Amino acid sequence: MSMTAFRAVLVLCGVLIVFLGLNVALGGIPTMGWLDERPFLLVTDEEQYRMIDNHVRFFGGLFAAAGLFLIFAASNPVRFTQGILLVLAAIFIGGMARFSAPDPSVVLAAEIVNSLAAELVLMPLLAVWLLRLGRI
């Protein structure tokens, strides 16, 4: 597969990750609603909620930054191999962390399974593709 195709896929992944990250970074726990989420939260301790919401926003910002890095790294993927692999590995590990949920059936729910597939299948495939491109 070509370097051009890899760059395009990397940019598309980066754009999606930025979108998802900003949805959380700007919207906190309830998100901005860009994915059509329903209201799901009843806050019983406002002070604790604000602190946890702030942490969630931080993680959303980190996720958006990872997406921005992928977009940037698409300019020269071989040069940025280590950074790209780090981001791909972090997303893979995040996908694995989903299995720590108290109710494992949620992991295979229709709303989650596409994300899980991207995290556990697409990220390793991109890593292998990148490593092969580096050998050419």
Side-chain angles (χ1 to χ4, degrees), residues 24-40:
V24 174
L26 302 175
I29 292 172
T31 76
M32 294 297 291
W34 296 343
L35 299 173
D36 197 33
E37 294 96 348
R38 306 182 305 268
F40 63 92

Side-chain angles (χ1 to χ4, degrees), residues 23-32 38-58:
N23 189 37
V24 174
L26 302 175
I29 292 172
T31 76
M32 294 297 291
R38 306 182 305 268
F40 63 92
L41 188 64
L42 175 63
V43 177
T44 59
D45 183 336
E46 188 68 36
E47 184 178 342
Q48 183 70 16
Y49 170 78
R50 284 193 308 267
M51 285 188 292
I52 293 172
D53 181 72
N54 192 266
H55 289 304
V56 167
R57 289 171 189 268
F58 169 79

